[in-house]
Amino acid sequence: MSLNRCIVLTGSNIKPYSNVSKALQELKKIDSTLQSLPEELTPSLGNPNRNFYLNQLHLLQTALTAEELTIQFKSLEKLLGRKSEDKEKGIVHIDIDLVYFNNQLLKPKEATLPYVQEGLKKLDFNIFPMQ
């Protein structure tokens, strides 16, 4: 059985080191061979008055479908304190985005972020088209 190759982006601006670390541990439960780039601190796009974000890009391999992964990610976000009403206030306990699933781009906006573009070059996922 072949595994699905996924690019996952995690980010947080509330207790960012703790929340991104917890998300990483959960992702490793899905894929013990998970490849992760170093965390990167980035400014809030569109609102310079908000907290900086700690982001991390991951290459994950799994037998799960995109829908199953998304359900797991949403559950983990809630577990780590994410509430839908917080995002408009600029409060992001954790954000876990499935950016690519195999060669399918699911999050075009996230894929164009500079740190994601740089990370895509560093991770081993030559099956993905560069945007």
Side-chain angles (χ1 to χ4, degrees):
M1 175 172 76
S2 67
L3 296 175
N4 298 305
R5 292 170 47 107
C6 310
I7 295 296
V8 177
L9 178 62
T10 54
S12 174
N13 70 354
I14 303 294
K15 298 182 185 175
Y17 289 95
S18 174
N19 286 330
V20 169
S21 177
K22 288 175 185 174
L24 175 62
Q25 295 310 311
E26 293 300 317
L27 291 175
K28 286 181 178 178
K29 291 178 184 177
I30 298 170
D31 176 10
S32 63
T33 66
L34 181 76
Q35 294 179 45
S36 299
L37 293 178
E39 300 156 332
E40 187 168 341
L41 203 57
T42 61
S44 172
L45 298 175
N47 190 338
N49 297 324
R50 291 192 177 150
N51 294 345
F52 275 71
Y53 284 81
L54 186 67
N55 297 287
Q56 192 169 31
L57 199 62
H58 314 273
L59 173 60
L60 180 142
Q61 298 184 83
T62 181
L64 297 174
T65 66
E67 183 179 341
E68 291 168 331
L69 277 175
T70 301
I71 290 168
Q72 283 197 7
F73 293 169
K74 294 303 172 196
S75 175
L76 179 57
E77 287 175 345
K78 286 181 184 177
L79 180 70
L80 292 177
R82 183 166 180 169
K83 298 176 187 151
S84 57
E85 64 270 14
D86 285 347
K87 192 165 186 174
E88 63 192 43
K89 299 174 192 172
I91 298 169
V92 180
H93 291 274
I94 192 69
D95 191 19
I96 306 171
D97 290 319
L98 181 57
V99 181
Y100 281 95
F101 186 81
N102 292 321
N103 60 356
Q104 182 181 6
L105 177 59
L106 302 177
K107 297 278 187 170
K109 179 181 169 191
E110 286 79 358
T112 63
L113 296 170
Y115 60 89
V116 172
Q117 285 292 303
E118 284 302 309
L120 293 176
K121 295 174 189 172
K122 295 175 185 174
L123 288 172
D124 173 27
F125 67 79
N126 54 12
I127 66 166
F128 293 103
M130 296 304 284
Q131 297 295 321

